[in-house]
């Protein structure tokens, strides 16, 4: 690229932005000039249209196309439920599905419980901000970055060589032999899960900490006067007070966990029985050139996310009714 | 509002903009266009001249290799006036079909697998090769290479570069010191391995790690054994699925390789136990030879580029390579290998000119002279190769009696060749039995 090219590109960008601003301005100008009758309606359409079009093009259409693709083979011909038969008969894919279930059971519960406990313990303590930052930090690291960091922690060198992996060095300090952590099934899946928990605990902690602070002091004091101990106050006052936040945290982490891809891909690439649905979906669709199988996996992922979303919506509606 | 204030309001953004501009100018490489007067254009007259023609090329070739690629067509650009822009990415194989379907593909894509070429041709996204390319192929390549660039009787692309697989890298000085001979048959190779074990060393060092393609060096190894033990006919039937993947002859090849890589006495010199075969990066696999911790490493001709700087690659140097021997001494030379195919997604006279140039012996000689690679182009002078191993590789490829077969996993459907075969090797080295492994791969073969 030469300087002239660069200047050309800059002019293009600036020009494009100017044209965009002009069109939007013009649109608003005419919108303002629209006849009084039905003005509301025109405004509604003009303001909603861009979002609607984007949702249609970026969400609804791909969803329909993926659903259709799930019933085709690699030539694009309809093949009934072959892809689903394949999915539930291949041992490798079955272990992928099982792994996803393990992920989605462990990550949200452990990170929420740890995050909640941490939030309660550091609440109103000295240096609260510092302790919060400490746990919140991993949130700022990308999943790929976290994967690479933890890959070093689990690294293996043969016995006798200098270990660069922290975990194996600890094992050696205790007199053990170095282990190929990431290649040893099933422990490797749990070691990957730890990475995700490490990232998500910070999120759970921050949200729950804010919720705990919002629990009215009066209720806690009233409970104290009634002679309850700390645990009873926690289960009977604090927990019901933060129920909404808890549900949000658990569902958000659950959905993030169902979609986990980067960690698995960077650390084991799905080998050694560690694959999860999202990783397998990519592998099938793009590496193996089997878009049908990939789509079928995507569809299963969608079905798994659905109940969580529905539960969330129902809960939101209930809360609105209470108010 | 005072004049001073206005000044500041205008000046600040202006200053910021000019600094940004200056900074961005630093990012652009203002390469002086080659001078037509100072370049010998006699080789390029046949391609014609174009005014402001532009051709975009994309492929898997990156880093130093990409620089050499750019150098190989610099004079061509100067003389013809075609501006070639190249973009290399490791994600090319996964993305190219998506780009093609979206109508967003580059003019030319350098496809490293015939299987991928078939897939793109099936999608109807490729332009057939122009006459000049077909003439070059008929003149400079064997019939088999032309088949790899064809689909359903239409010829799409001539090969670009090539590599010969199935070399065994070793240390000539170490061999001489200990009195080992380069084996001439597979049995001798086994005997040599056992001899080294008896002398108290693990003979082989192996590394199969390669990100999400982990396991592919193992597929090469199995393919080499299938071709040598069962022969070319069985090899062809195998990759075309005329015999199942779990055929006894394939199982035999797996078992023969397994005697080396699944045997803790044989591997993994200087790297760890058998499990380290998978965790060791493919690029690092052979390096313990230099420390004398193992004696042999199986990898293609291109592994020459992976030795650290200063390593002497010659028949009496630090490292050298012999071709994995055949079953019988003096038997025909059977090799597997790989190559790239520059396919075109768009029509255009300048695209055709670039394709014709890339398929010519002129290009092959220029590129090979730059070092590190070879081509199967028969117009290529082996003397241009940058090392003895590469020279030998060119001679093997050009040899009249050589039985050449393309890397099998590149020819199989992607679901097997780029997925379950790799995964199968990983599971196999991790402990699965051969039968379990080949059965699993067989069951993943796409039905159509």
């Amino acid at each position: 690229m030469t300087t002239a090219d660069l200047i050309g590109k800059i002019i293009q960008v600036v020009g494009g932005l100017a044209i965009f601003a002009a069109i939007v301005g013009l649109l608003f100008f005419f919108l303002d000039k629209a006849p009084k009758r039905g003005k509301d309606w025109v405004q509604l359409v003009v303001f909603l249209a861009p979002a609607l079009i984007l949702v249609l093009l970026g969400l609804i259409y791909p969803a329909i196309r993926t659903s259709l693709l799930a019933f085709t083979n690699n030539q694009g011909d309809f093949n009934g439920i072959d892809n689903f038969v394949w999915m539930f008969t291949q041992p490798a894919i079955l272990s992928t599905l099982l792994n996803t279930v393990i992920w989605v059971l462990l990550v949200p519960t452990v990170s929420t419980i740890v995050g909640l406990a941490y939030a309660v313990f550091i609440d109103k303590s000295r240096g609260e901000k510092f302790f919060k930052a400490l746990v919140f930090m991993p949130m700022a690291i990308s999943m790929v970055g976290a994967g690479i960091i933890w890959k070093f922690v689990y690294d293996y060198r043969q016995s006798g060589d200098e270990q660069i992996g922290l975990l194996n060095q600890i094992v050696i300090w205790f007199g053990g032999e170095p282990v190929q952590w990431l290649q040893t099934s099933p422990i490797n899946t749990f070691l990957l899960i730890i990475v995700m928990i490490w990232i998500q605990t910070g999120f759970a902690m921050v949200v729950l900490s804010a919720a705990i602070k919002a629990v009215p002091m009066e209720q806690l004091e009233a409970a104290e006067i009634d002679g309850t101990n700390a645990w009873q106050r926690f289960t009977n006052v604090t927990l019901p007070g933060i129920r909404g936040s808890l549900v949000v945290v658990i569902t958000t982490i659950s959905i993030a966990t169902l979609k986990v891809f980067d960690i698995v891909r960077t650390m084991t690439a799905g080998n050694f029985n560690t694959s999860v649905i999202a990783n397998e979906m990519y592998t099938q669709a793009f590496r193996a050139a089997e878009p049908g199988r990939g789509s079928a996996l995507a569809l299963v992922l969608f079905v798994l996310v659905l109940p969580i979303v529905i539960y969330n919506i129902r809960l939101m509606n209930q809360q609105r009714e209470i108010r | 509002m005072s004049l001073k204030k206005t000044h500041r309001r205008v000046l600040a953004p202006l200053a910021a903009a000019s600094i940004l501009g200056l900074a961005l100018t630093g990012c652009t490489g203002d390469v002086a266009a080659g001078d037509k007067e100072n370049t010998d254009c006699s080789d390029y007259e046949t391609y014609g001249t174009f005014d402001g023609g532009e051709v975009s090329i994309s492929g898997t070739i990156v880093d130093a290799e990409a620089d050499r690629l750019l150098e190989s067509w610099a004079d061509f650009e100067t003389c013809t006036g075609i501006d070639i822009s190249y973009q290399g990415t490791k994600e090319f194989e996964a993305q190219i079909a998506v780009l093609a379907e979206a109508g967003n593909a580059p003019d030319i894509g350098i496809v490293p697998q015939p299987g991928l070429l078939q897939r793109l041709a099936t999608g109807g996204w490729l332009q057939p090769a122009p006459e000049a390319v077909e003439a070059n192929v008929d003149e400079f390549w064997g019939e088999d290479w032309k088949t790899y660039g064809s689909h359903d009787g239409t010829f799409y692309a001539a090969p670009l570069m090539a590599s010969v697989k199935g070399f065994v890298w070793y240390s000539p000085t170490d061999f001489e010191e200990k009195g080992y001979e380069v084996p001439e048959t597979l049995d001798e190779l086994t005997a040599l391995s056992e001899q080294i074990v008896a002398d108290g060393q693990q003979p082989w060092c192996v590394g199969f790690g390669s990100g999400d393609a982990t396991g592919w060096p193992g597929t090469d190894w199995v393919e080499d054994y299938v071709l040598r033990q069962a022969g070319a006919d069985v090899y062809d039937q195998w990759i075309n699925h005329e015999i199942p993947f779990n055929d006894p002859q394939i199982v035999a090849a797996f078992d023969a390789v397994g005697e080396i890589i699944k045997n803790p006495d044989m591997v993994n010199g200087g790297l760890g136990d058998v499990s380290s075969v998978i965790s060791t990066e493919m690029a690092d696999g052979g390096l313990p030879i230099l420390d004398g911790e193992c004696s042999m490493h199986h990898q293609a001709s291109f592994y020459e580029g992976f030795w650290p700087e200063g390593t002497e690659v010659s028949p009496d140097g630090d490292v050298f390579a012999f071709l994995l021997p055949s079953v019988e001494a003096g038997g025909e030379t059977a090799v597997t290998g790989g190559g790239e195919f520059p396919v075109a997604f768009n029509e255009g006279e300048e695209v055709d000119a670039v394709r014709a140039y890339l398929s010519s012996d002129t290009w092959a000689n220029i590129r090979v002279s730059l070092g590190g690679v070879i081509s199967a182009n028969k117009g290529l002078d082996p003397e241009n190769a940058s090392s003895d191993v590469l020279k030998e590789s060119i001679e093997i490829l050009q040899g009249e009696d050589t039985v050449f077969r393309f890397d099998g996993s590149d020819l199989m459907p992607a679901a097997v060749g780029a997925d379950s075969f790799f995964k199968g090797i990983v599971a196999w080295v991790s402990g699965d039995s051969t039968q379990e492994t080949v059965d699993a791969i067989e069951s993943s073969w796409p039905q159509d």
Side-chain angles (χ1 to χ4, degrees), chain B residues 219-241:
Chain B
T219 68
D220 282 5
W221 207 325
V222 171
E223 286 155 16
D224 276 334
Y225 269 76
V226 171
L227 184 61
R228 282 164 179 76
Q229 290 185 331
D233 288 340
V234 173
Y235 188 87
D236 290 340
Q237 291 165 3
W238 180 46
I239 57 175
N240 292 322
H241 210 220

Side-chain angles (χ1 to χ4, degrees), chain A residues 65 68-69 71-79 289-292, chain B residues 122:
Chain A
R65 183 144 187 273
L68 292 177
L69 266 179
F71 299 94
T72 60
N73 64 11
N74 58 6
Q75 306 292 325
D77 302 324
F78 180 77
N79 69 350
E290 295 282 346
Chain B
T122 315

Side-chain angles (χ1 to χ4, degrees), chain A residues 61-128:
Chain A
Y61 170 69
I64 293 171
R65 183 144 187 273
T66 306
S67 310
L68 292 177
L69 266 179
F71 299 94
T72 60
N73 64 11
N74 58 6
Q75 306 292 325
D77 302 324
F78 180 77
N79 69 350
I81 57 164
D82 278 10
N83 292 328
F84 295 91
V85 171
W86 162 84
M87 190 187 306
F88 291 106
T89 51
Q90 283 274 314
I93 308 299
L94 285 177
S95 95
T96 301
L97 295 173
L98 177 68
N99 282 340
T100 307
V101 171
I102 297 174
W103 274 81
V104 87
L105 285 180
L106 277 183
V107 177
T109 43
V110 176
S111 39
T112 308
I113 290 172
V114 174
L116 178 61
Y118 194 84
V120 170
F121 287 133
I122 64 159
D123 195 34
K124 299 194 191 86
S125 78
R126 221 199 259 169
E128 186 185 340

Side-chain angles (χ1 to χ4, degrees), chain A residues 1-4 6 10 65 73-75 86 90 151 156-158 161 180 183 265 268-272 280 282-290 293, chain B residues 24-25 28-30 91 94-95 98 101 119 122 211-214 270-273 275-276 278-279 414-415 418-419 422-423 426 430 443-444 446 448:
Chain A
M1 191 160 74
T2 62
T3 315
L6 185 74
I10 292 175
R65 183 144 187 273
N73 64 11
N74 58 6
Q75 306 292 325
W86 162 84
Q90 283 274 314
K151 209 176 164 188
Y156 165 89
R157 290 285 183 276
Q158 66 174 326
D161 282 9
Q180 286 270 21
Q183 291 184 33
R265 194 142 196 98
T268 62
N271 282 316
F272 323 114
E280 206 53 39
Y282 179 88
T283 308
Q284 290 300 331
F286 299 114
R287 260 206 97 73
E290 295 282 346
R293 290 175 178 177
Chain B
L24 281 171
T25 315
T28 64
D30 272 330
E91 289 292 308
Q95 292 304 320
V98 180
E101 190 163 13
R119 201 173 126 207
T122 315
D212 60 347
T214 294
L271 295 165
D273 54 7
S275 70
S276 69
I278 292 295
S279 60
D419 188 36
F422 293 173
K423 285 181 183 163
V426 171
S430 307
S443 74
S444 73
D448 42 22

Side-chain angles (χ1 to χ4, degrees), chain B residues 392-436:
Chain B
E392 194 191 331
S393 307
I394 295 174
E395 279 159 2
I396 290 170
L397 285 176
Q398 292 182 344
E400 290 294 326
D401 307 324
T402 305
V403 177
F404 179 85
R405 285 294 180 276
F406 210 93
D407 181 335
S409 59
D410 288 346
L411 295 172
M412 294 173 184
V416 177
D419 188 36
S420 65
F421 198 175
F422 293 173
K423 285 181 183 163
I425 291 284
V426 171
W428 181 58
V429 177
S430 307
D432 278 11
S433 75
T434 301
Q435 200 61 47
E436 280 170 354

Side-chain angles (χ1 to χ4, degrees), chain A residues 82-201:
Chain A
D82 278 10
N83 292 328
F84 295 91
V85 171
W86 162 84
M87 190 187 306
F88 291 106
T89 51
Q90 283 274 314
I93 308 299
L94 285 177
S95 95
T96 301
L97 295 173
L98 177 68
N99 282 340
T100 307
V101 171
I102 297 174
W103 274 81
V104 87
L105 285 180
L106 277 183
V107 177
T109 43
V110 176
S111 39
T112 308
I113 290 172
V114 174
L116 178 61
Y118 194 84
V120 170
F121 287 133
I122 64 159
D123 195 34
K124 299 194 191 86
S125 78
R126 221 199 259 169
E128 186 185 340
K129 279 182 185 150
F130 172 75
F131 291 128
K132 266 188 180 169
L134 216 58
V135 173
F136 191 68
M137 216 90 87
M139 269 299 280
I141 298 171
S142 72
M143 297 247 192
V144 174
I148 292 169
I149 292 170
W150 282 85
K151 209 176 164 188
F152 279 118
V153 174
Y154 300 143
D155 198 80
Y156 165 89
R157 290 285 183 276
Q158 66 174 326
S159 182
D161 282 9
E162 195 185 338
Q163 296 293 327
I164 64 167
L166 179 67
L167 193 55
N168 270 327
Q169 186 58 54
I170 292 172
V171 166
I172 285 173
W173 279 333
F174 281 95
E177 285 284 305
V179 183
Q180 286 270 21
W181 294 112
L182 290 178
Q183 291 184 33
T184 316
S185 179
I187 192 167
N188 48 11
T189 296
F190 295 97
L191 292 175
L192 297 192
I193 287 175
I194 287 176
V195 182
M196 185 84 169
I197 292 173
W198 182 69
I199 293 175
Q200 295 291 354
T201 301

Side-chain angles (χ1 to χ4, degrees), chain B residues 129 133 136-137 141 149 155-160 340-342 355 359:
Chain B
V133 174
N136 277 338
V137 156
W141 268 279
F155 174 64
Y156 287 102
L160 194 65
E340 298 101 357
F341 297 83
R355 301 179 74 190
S359 65

